[in-house]
Amino acid sequence: GKRSGKVKKSKVLPMLDKFFPFKSEKAMVRLKYSLSKQVPGEEVTVQALFAEDREGNQGAFLETVRNQMMKESLDYYQDVSNAIFLKADQYEDGSPETISLTLIEQAIQDLDPQKPQKEIDRMLSLGLGIAEGSPLDLNVTVELETFLARLKQGYICRHTRPVDE
């Protein structure tokens, strides 16, 4: 509750689904398991979730969140990269070294149809190496490898729930 700092686990678990709407079912099961492992019993406190051991290590729950976020970002980067290469192969006359920003945008939209345009623009800016919010010329052609190398340096995440494998 508001005063005790305690929340029933039966309320926390559904909140995780709302907070992490794009995680796969398998990832959500692991996340909920790590919460139950770290905080046994019926109630959860913020203090228990963020507790560290003597060496400053975080608990199983936050460690799972961190590991999943890193893996999901890398997996998503790989999916985006593959989608862009496929799009380049389809439209760039056998020269997938370069690609138009329009085709990159289409590849991202095809892969992640629920991604907001603002997030797509952020990814395009990241790949171009320009400040977020800068004007984008979708007709510009970019070197594919350079664009992807820059994109990999930032944190990107999906907005469409993946299908479990």
Side-chain angles (χ1 to χ4, degrees):
K2 291 185 191 249
R3 300 216 181 254
S4 69
K6 295 179 183 177
V7 180
K8 291 207 176 292
K9 200 178 285 182
S10 61
K11 291 190 188 266
V12 172
L13 294 175
M15 288 168 41
L16 292 176
D17 290 316
K18 287 187 171 88
F19 193 76
F20 298 109
F22 310 118
K23 285 192 177 292
S24 68
E25 287 182 40
K26 190 184 290 185
M28 286 307 299
V29 167
R30 286 187 182 125
L31 191 62
K32 290 173 181 180
Y33 172 76
S34 71
L35 174 68
S36 294
K37 180 178 168 186
Q38 181 177 333
V39 186
E42 299 298 315
E43 295 182 326
V44 176
T45 65
V46 172
Q47 183 179 0
L49 280 183
F50 292 94
E52 296 178 345
D53 64 17
R54 287 184 186 149
E55 288 83 39
N57 298 314
Q58 55 201 13
F61 177 73
L62 285 183
E63 191 67 22
T64 301
V65 170
R66 185 185 71 79
N67 289 342
Q68 285 183 356
M69 287 181 71
M70 287 175 50
K71 182 182 182 323
E72 288 161 359
S73 184
L74 285 172
D75 289 350
Y76 184 59
Y77 167 80
Q78 212 44 61
D79 291 345
V80 168
S81 180
N82 291 340
I84 292 171
F85 271 109
L86 283 172
K87 198 63 96 167
D89 285 341
Q90 286 176 330
Y91 293 99
E92 295 295 335
D93 295 331
S95 174
E97 293 89 32
T98 61
I99 187 171
S100 73
L101 220 49
T102 300
L103 292 178
I104 293 175
E105 180 184 54
Q106 287 173 8
I108 295 169
Q109 289 169 336
D110 292 348
L111 174 70
D112 196 354
Q114 294 177 21
K115 183 176 274 308
Q117 187 61 47
K118 184 178 179 183
E119 282 297 307
I120 293 172
D121 291 348
R122 188 183 73 76
M123 287 175 65
L124 296 175
S125 296
L126 184 61
L128 289 171
I130 62 174
E132 188 177 332
S134 297
L136 295 169
D137 178 2
L138 294 179
N139 295 315
V140 74
T141 300
V142 298
E143 285 187 29
L144 195 47
E145 293 293 338
T146 303
F147 181 90
L148 291 172
R150 287 183 188 137
L151 187 61
K152 193 172 189 176
Q153 293 173 357
Y155 176 76
I156 58 173
C157 62
R158 69 175 62 247
H159 284 76
T160 304
R161 187 180 286 241
V163 178
D164 275 318
E165 297 159 358

